[in-house]
Amino acid sequence: GKAEHKDEKQEAISKKLASVRRAETAWVAAEAQKQKEGQKRRGFVSSMVDVQRLVATVIGNIKLEISNIHIRLESDVGSPSRPVALGLTVERLETKTMNKDWQEVFHVDGLSAKLFKKVVLDRFAIYFDPNATP
């Protein structure tokens, strides 16, 4: 009678308690996994920010020096017997990163700050030759 009922009640409580413990363990594990994934995402975002800063610094400090450029386009489309030519020449093309006082600098603030670029173009010419010879 009463003893059996008490044992059944105790067994039901024990089962319920075991079920709650399993649920709690699963919840703690799920929260730990969420936190771990959040840290991975934050780590990835932080890495991407670092890469973006590096790229911005590289772009901001690109120094370009090219010399003796000659580009010529020839065409005989209009008249095969009278080809034409169009071209340009540059002895020197140079770009540098400058500060506000126009002194050459290495810029470390990425693209967030004002950048000053100096472009030097020496002996630039454009030509058109209506009587080009191939």
Side-chain angles (χ1 to χ4, degrees), residues 49-67:
V49 168
D50 291 342
V51 169
Q52 287 176 330
R53 284 186 187 139
L54 176 64
V55 168
T57 299
V58 169
I59 289 171
N61 289 291
I62 286 180
K63 183 174 182 179
L64 177 69
E65 294 182 43
I66 303 174
S67 59

Side-chain angles (χ1 to χ4, degrees), residues 4 10 14 19 21 25 27 32 37 39 44 46 50 57 62-64 89 93 96 101 111-112 117 124:
E4 286 179 25
Q10 188 65 36
S14 294
S19 175
R21 285 186 181 139
T25 302
W27 179 82
E37 288 173 5
Q39 287 172 346
F44 176 75
S46 177
D50 291 342
T57 299
I62 286 180
K63 183 174 182 179
L64 177 69
T89 61
L93 170 64
K96 296 178 182 180
D101 299 320
L111 298 176
S112 61
K117 289 291 190 177
F124 173 74

